């Protein structure tokens, strides 16, 4: 099983990394406003993440003194690194709370209210985020579990909310395009080149944050029963693509370039209010974002309906890029009949620390 390095130079793993199969995503609230506590937590998290990404426990599971407890809880022993990446994010309010406002990245602020928002505050926001992705769900879960335990035991941060995702719904370079829970290929026209990552993903923040990225999290619930009654040609029109092949409605192969100018008897062949027409860079002054989403399920809801959707995760060099796209989609996208944005978060992802250092060390 593959191991990714945690330490830099370069950005943190888990953004440009080819998406693994599973994610556990968790956010935290600070319970201490002392910057020293945050410093210790970031240092301990960093050292622990470096360890577990190698497939090694953060301490002996079976301590020398049998009457002692252990930091590592043991459930990932023998599972290997499983391509684990743990990506640490810093929330907008963290800097003021800890008196570190001089270090807040320029673009970091809560997202503005966007059309289509149906957000539940309790599962939105947060001061810290952890995105653990792995090819083995238990390895991802173990990572979050031991890191949450460290946060709590030091009295620095408490858990806020979590989303467990299975089945990547985005593709990296060379990966086959997977399907989201609406049955469509997701990630066909995603960012895969270094040039696009330079232009749209990594920030140019002055100082310590340079080369990081902004993470946007949206928990998007799907009205699955309703979608499943929709006829297939209508589903195709919602996205502007064919369900099985993933080809644009103007093509036959998945990677054919959509022709947004082609006209049919009732207007554009790819409808103007289809998801891809509204989101395409051709219609947004060239704007692109890196999508790295996962399918999630929370079982069934109070009405007995399937409670599932997309844990949408995107990376961009300014949160404004996401806001611009979602402003268009939220207002007009035909997909809105079948989805609802129920949670939201925005976090700064600082660059990876150098070996022996830790995330955000330059702030202290
Ligand atoms: C494209 C699904 C939400 C931005 C696509 C495609 C699918 C899809 C199937 C076509 C394949 C591809 O190129 O990846 C979904 C679903 C969503 C969702 C099921 C919600 C549950 C969003 C949101 C945004 C977004 C919230 C950003 C605000 C994009 C972009 C493209 C895209 C930029 C590429 C369009 C192009 O250039 O052709 N999405 N999406 N999507 N989506 Fe979404």
């Amino acid at each position: 099983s593959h191991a990714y390095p945690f330490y830099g130079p370069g950005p943190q793993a888990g953004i440009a990394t080819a998406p693994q199969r599973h994610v556990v995503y968790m956010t935290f609230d600070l319970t201490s406003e002392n910057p020293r506590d945050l410093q210790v937590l970031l240092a301990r998290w960093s050292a622990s993440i470096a360890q577990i990404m190698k497939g090694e426990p953060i301490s002996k599971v079976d301590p020398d003194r049998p009457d002692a407890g252990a930091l590592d809880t043991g459930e990932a022993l023998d599972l290997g690194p499983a391509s684990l990446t743990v990506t640490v994010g810093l929330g907008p309010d963290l800097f003021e709370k800890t008196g570190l406002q001089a270090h807040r990245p320029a673009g970091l602020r809560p997202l503005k209210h966007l059309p289509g928002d149906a957000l539940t505050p309790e599962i939105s926001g947060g001061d810290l985020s952890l995105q653990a992705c792995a090819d083995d769900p238990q390895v991802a879960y173990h990572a979050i579990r031991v890191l949450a335990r460290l946060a709590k035991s030091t009295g620095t941060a408490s858990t806020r909310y979590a989303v467990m995702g299975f089945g990547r719904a985005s593709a990296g370079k060379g990966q086959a395009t997977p399907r989201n829970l609406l049955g469509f290929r997701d990630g066909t026209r995603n960012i895969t080149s270094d040039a696009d990552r330079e232009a749209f993903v990594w920030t140019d923040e002055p100082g310590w944050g340079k080369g990081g990225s902004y993470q946007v999290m949206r928990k998007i619930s799907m009205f699955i029963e309703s979608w499943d009654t929709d006829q297939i040609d209508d589903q195709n029109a919602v996205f502007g693509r064919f369900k099985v092949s993933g080809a644009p409605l103007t093509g036959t192969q998945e990677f054919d370039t959509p022709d947004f100018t082609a006209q049919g008897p009732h207007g554009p062949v790819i409808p103007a209010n289809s998801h891809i027409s509204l989101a395409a860079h051709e219609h947004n002054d060239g704007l692109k974002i890196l999508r790295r989403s996962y399918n999630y399920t929370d079982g069934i809801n109070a009405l007995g309906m399937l409670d599932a959707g997309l844990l949408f995760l995107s990376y961009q060099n300014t949160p404004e890029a996401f806001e611009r796209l979602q402003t268009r989609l939220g207002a007009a996208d035909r997909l809105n009949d079948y989805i609802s944005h129920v949670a939201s978060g925005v976090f700064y992802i600082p660059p990876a620390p150098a070996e022996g250092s830790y995330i955000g060390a330059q702030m202290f």
Side-chain angles (χ1 to χ4, degrees), residues 185-189 220 239 275 279-280 291 312 322 326 329:
R185 289 189 189 278
D186 208 331
T188 302
R189 289 224 299 173
I220 308 177
F239 283 106
H275 184 69
R291 292 169 287 139
F312 175 93
F322 172 82
Q326 182 52 26
L329 293 173

Side-chain angles (χ1 to χ4, degrees), residues 44 57-75 77 142 145-146 149-150 153:
R44 294 183 75 183
I58 63 167
S59 73
K60 289 180 88 169
V61 171
D62 189 0
D64 297 332
R65 263 183 41 227
D67 60 343
L71 281 181
D72 197 285
T73 48
E75 75 277 19
L77 283 179
H142 166 260
R145 176 175 168 186
V146 294
R149 196 157 170 253
L150 279 176
S153 67

Side-chain angles (χ1 to χ4, degrees), residues 179-260:
R179 292 179 190 274
N180 58 43
L181 294 180
L182 300 182
F184 276 75
R185 289 189 189 278
D186 208 331
T188 302
R189 289 224 299 173
N190 205 358
I191 287 181
T192 51
S193 72
D194 285 341
D196 274 354
R197 281 192 283 263
E198 288 303 329
F200 299 106
V201 180
W202 313 128
T203 67
D204 220 358
E205 299 283 338
W208 73 282
K210 187 176 161 52
S213 190
Y214 290 91
Q215 175 190 67
V216 168
M217 183 289 299
R218 306 284 283 187
K219 190 177 184 187
I220 308 177
S221 165
M222 293 172 172
F223 311 144
I224 292 190
E225 286 81 356
S226 168
W227 177 255
D228 291 345
T229 63
D230 193 27
Q231 57 201 51
I232 301 304
D233 58 356
D234 192 69
Q235 293 189 349
N236 293 343
V238 165
F239 283 106
R241 289 186 173 272
F242 292 108
K243 190 171 189 177
V244 174
S245 67
L249 296 183
T250 52
T252 55
Q253 309 284 316
E254 183 190 350
F255 292 102
D256 289 351
T257 302
D259 178 358
F260 295 110

Side-chain angles (χ1 to χ4, degrees), residues 33-35 93-103 363:
E33 301 196 342
N34 185 338
D93 298 336
L94 170 137
F95 298 87
E96 270 73 12
K97 282 186 184 168
T98 51
L100 296 170
Q101 51 269 33
H103 297 283
M363 294 194 294

Side-chain angles (χ1 to χ4, degrees), residues 282-361:
E282 289 90 336
H283 296 158
N284 292 285
D285 301 320
L287 180 65
K288 298 181 185 178
I289 59 174
L290 173 64
R291 292 169 287 139
R292 206 174 185 285
S293 309
Y294 284 85
N295 303 322
Y296 78 84
T297 174
D298 287 340
I300 48 175
N301 69 18
L303 302 172
M305 318 273 258
L306 298 178
D307 190 352
L310 191 71
L311 172 62
F312 175 93
L313 289 163
S314 68
Y315 292 91
Q316 46 272 305
N317 56 18
T318 162
E320 212 251 326
F322 172 82
E323 288 174 338
R324 271 173 61 196
L325 285 180
Q326 182 52 26
T327 298
R328 278 168 58 79
L329 293 173
D333 192 354
R334 283 210 49 206
L335 184 57
N336 294 333
D337 291 346
Y338 302 100
I339 62 168
S340 176
H341 287 233
V342 297
S344 174
V346 60
F347 297 89
Y348 193 68
I349 310 295
E355 182 124 31
S357 186
Y358 55 92
I359 300 265

